Amino acid sequence: MISMRRLSRASKTGLRRRRNHLDANSLHFRLILSIIVVFAIAAVSFIILSRQEVQTLLSMSSFDGATTLKFLTMSSQLITLSLMVIGALLISTITLIWRSLSTLRHLNKWVTSSTNSMNSYPLNLYPAPSEIKVLAQRRNEILTQLASVKEQQRQFTNAVAHELRSPLSLVYGYLQRSQKQSKTLTEAQKETLGMAIAEAERMTMILQDLIDLARAESIDVPISGEVIILNDFIRDIVSMTKKFEHRQIETELSAVRIRAQTNRDYLMQVLDHLISNAIKHSDLNTTIVIMLNQVRDAAIIQVRDHGSGISSSQQELVFEPFYRTDPSRARSTGGTGLGLAIAKTIAERMGGTITVDSHPGEGSTFTLILPAIGTRS
């Protein structure tokens, strides 16, 4: 089933690429079509005018039959040669335009890759118009500034989280000690103390998630580690989650052992966030399904719930820090709004990706794709 989906997506991607090359709204298509039309009109006009001139010349001359036939043959040859020259000019013009505008295609790919990594990259735009070179240079400068701002933001968040964690731990410890010695407190005071402890716990979770996110974003090299048999690894996580969360979790794992070389702790953290997210956003009486399969050189782990689902406009935003699809449920679910952001960042450092496929009212499926050891069809 997953293979069919992958093939369907691949075919759709191929169709999109063909449409991009044959896009009627593209500058390439419009310029080439315009030149072809202009050359076609010029060629037809040349043929008509040449024949008219030849007929006029013959009507004004007194050539004999042999001379007239020879003249017509030479005229036909000259017209054919002229048309060949026009065709060569057409091909040369189209080639020149195609090579000149190919810089825009390279620029588009460069913009996509540099934007995804938020880093500036050198781009060979020779031969390219100076306007495009200036545009690429300005974009590099903007990306450098954005990367600097992002790094400053990460450092600030990390510093604040570390500075607040120690005093918050003292406050939390004091509140817990006060709760244990609450025999002389009234019910209202006990309730207030319980609320303060709950908020302190929540703030501690947020600070820890901020630290985890900052650590994940600070990883500059791809995460590598030991060879892990994903089938056994997922079974262990599901068994442990069932024991502590008391939820119905089913597994649909490949009968063939699937291996990946990655860091065990980081992978456990990613899957823990995905499973916790499924638990928080689905009802107690529904089942969570975890699937594992391999397509070619990719290990595919999917976590599916039957919760409220996510609208298409929010699916890209759920991986942003502190983003919530339903802010009114922030306190009831107990989450910090950072779990999916941490999971996506770690997955990318592991050389993988995380995507979501969801429909409102039907639930969500989060897909983690990691490089697998070995290739399967």
Side-chain angles (χ1 to χ4, degrees):
M1 183 176 178
I2 296 178
S3 300
M4 293 297 294
R5 291 179 181 172
R6 297 269 297 186
L7 289 173
S8 176
R9 291 176 183 172
S11 63
K12 290 179 180 177
T13 302
L15 286 173
R16 290 194 199 102
R17 289 175 180 172
R18 294 188 191 99
R19 289 171 186 167
N20 289 338
H21 288 299
L22 301 175
D23 186 6
N25 294 321
S26 67
L27 186 60
H28 282 83
F29 183 85
R30 291 184 177 183
L31 283 176
I32 292 175
L33 181 61
S34 300
I35 290 172
I36 291 175
V37 170
V38 169
F39 271 85
I41 294 174
V44 172
S45 301
F46 175 76
I47 293 173
I48 294 173
L49 292 176
S50 299
R51 289 180 176 176
Q52 288 179 353
E53 290 296 327
V54 169
Q55 294 295 335
T56 303
L57 183 61
L58 289 174
S59 64
M60 296 173 61
S61 304
S62 57
F63 295 144
D64 56 14
T67 306
T68 302
L69 181 60
K70 187 176 180 179
F71 181 78
L72 290 174
T73 302
M74 292 179 61
S75 301
S76 178
Q77 291 176 349
L78 287 173
I79 292 174
T80 302
L81 180 62
S82 301
L83 290 177
M84 291 176 63
V85 172
I86 292 175
L89 289 174
L90 173 62
I91 295 173
S92 301
T93 305
I94 291 176
T95 303
L96 180 61
I97 291 177
W98 185 265
R99 292 190 60 184
S100 299
L101 294 181
S102 62
T103 307
L104 295 177
R105 296 198 303 274
H106 296 312
L107 183 64
N108 183 34
K109 295 178 181 178
W110 170 76
V111 167
T112 302
S113 60
S114 61
T115 301
N116 290 337
S117 58
M118 288 294 292
N119 291 319
S120 58
Y121 289 98
L123 178 64
N124 184 14
L125 292 177
Y126 179 82
S130 58
E131 293 84 357
I132 295 182
K133 291 182 179 179
V134 171
L135 177 63
Q137 182 180 357
R138 294 293 180 266
R139 181 171 178 78
N140 250 339
E141 294 174 357
I142 294 174
L143 284 176
T144 302
Q145 295 175 0
L146 288 176
S148 176
V149 171
K150 187 176 182 180
E151 176 63 18
Q152 293 176 5
Q153 182 183 11
R154 186 193 64 80
Q155 292 178 358
F156 173 76
T157 302
N158 193 23
V160 170
H162 278 91
E163 289 297 326
L164 290 179
R165 186 167 62 172
S166 296
L168 186 60
S169 299
L170 292 175
V171 172
Y172 180 61
Y174 176 78
L175 291 174
Q176 282 188 318
R177 188 167 61 252
S178 300
Q179 189 180 41
K180 293 178 181 179
Q181 302 172 355
S182 61
K183 297 180 180 179
T184 59
L185 299 179
T186 63
E187 291 299 323
Q189 291 173 333
K190 291 180 181 180
E191 183 180 356
T192 302
L193 186 60
M195 293 173 60
I197 292 175
E199 288 300 316
E201 290 177 347
R202 182 171 174 274
M203 286 300 301
T204 302
M205 290 174 56
I206 292 176
L207 291 178
Q208 186 58 51
D209 282 349
L210 282 173
I211 293 173
D212 290 342
L213 181 60
R215 287 174 179 171
E217 290 180 341
S218 64
I219 300 174
D220 295 327
V221 296
I223 297 173
S224 60
E226 59 186 303
V227 176
I228 298 174
I229 300 175
L230 296 178
N231 312 61
D232 300 336
F233 188 80
I234 292 175
R235 287 192 191 97
D236 293 340
I237 291 180
V238 170
S239 176
M240 183 173 56
T241 305
K242 284 182 177 179
K243 192 176 298 183
F244 289 99
E245 298 291 344
H246 306 289
R247 287 294 302 270
Q248 299 176 13
I249 303 177
E250 295 181 357
T251 57
E252 296 178 7
L253 308 180
S254 172
V256 181
R257 288 191 169 189
I258 299 175
R259 294 175 172 85
Q261 184 170 2
T262 186
N263 185 285
R264 180 178 295 269
D265 294 331
Y266 281 124
L267 180 58
M268 182 176 292
Q269 190 174 5
V270 171
L271 291 179
D272 179 64
H273 282 302
L274 294 180
I275 296 173
S276 298
N277 181 76
I279 291 173
K280 291 171 185 174
H281 294 89
S282 60
D283 296 332
L284 291 173
N285 58 350
T286 60
T287 302
I288 296 170
V289 182
I290 301 178
M291 297 164 284
L292 172 65
N293 208 332
Q294 180 175 347
V295 178
R296 296 183 180 87
D297 59 347
I300 303 174
I301 304 173
Q302 294 181 302
V303 180
R304 178 183 299 169
D305 64 65
H306 296 84
S308 57
I310 308 169
S311 64
S312 57
S313 61
Q314 294 179 312
Q315 290 181 19
E316 288 296 327
L317 300 174
V318 295
F319 297 105
E320 296 294 326
F322 296 109
Y323 184 82
R324 298 181 185 275
T325 56
D326 186 3
S328 62
R329 296 186 60 191
R331 298 304 178 95
S332 61
T333 57
T336 61
L338 292 168
L340 292 178
I342 295 172
K344 184 176 179 64
T345 302
I346 294 177
E348 291 175 350
R349 299 303 189 273
M350 294 166 65
T353 59
I354 293 182
T355 58
V356 58
D357 182 20
S358 181
H359 301 280
E362 299 180 10
S364 304
T365 300
F366 285 85
T367 301
L368 169 64
I369 300 178
L370 296 172
I373 299 177
T375 303
R376 292 192 180 93
S377 57

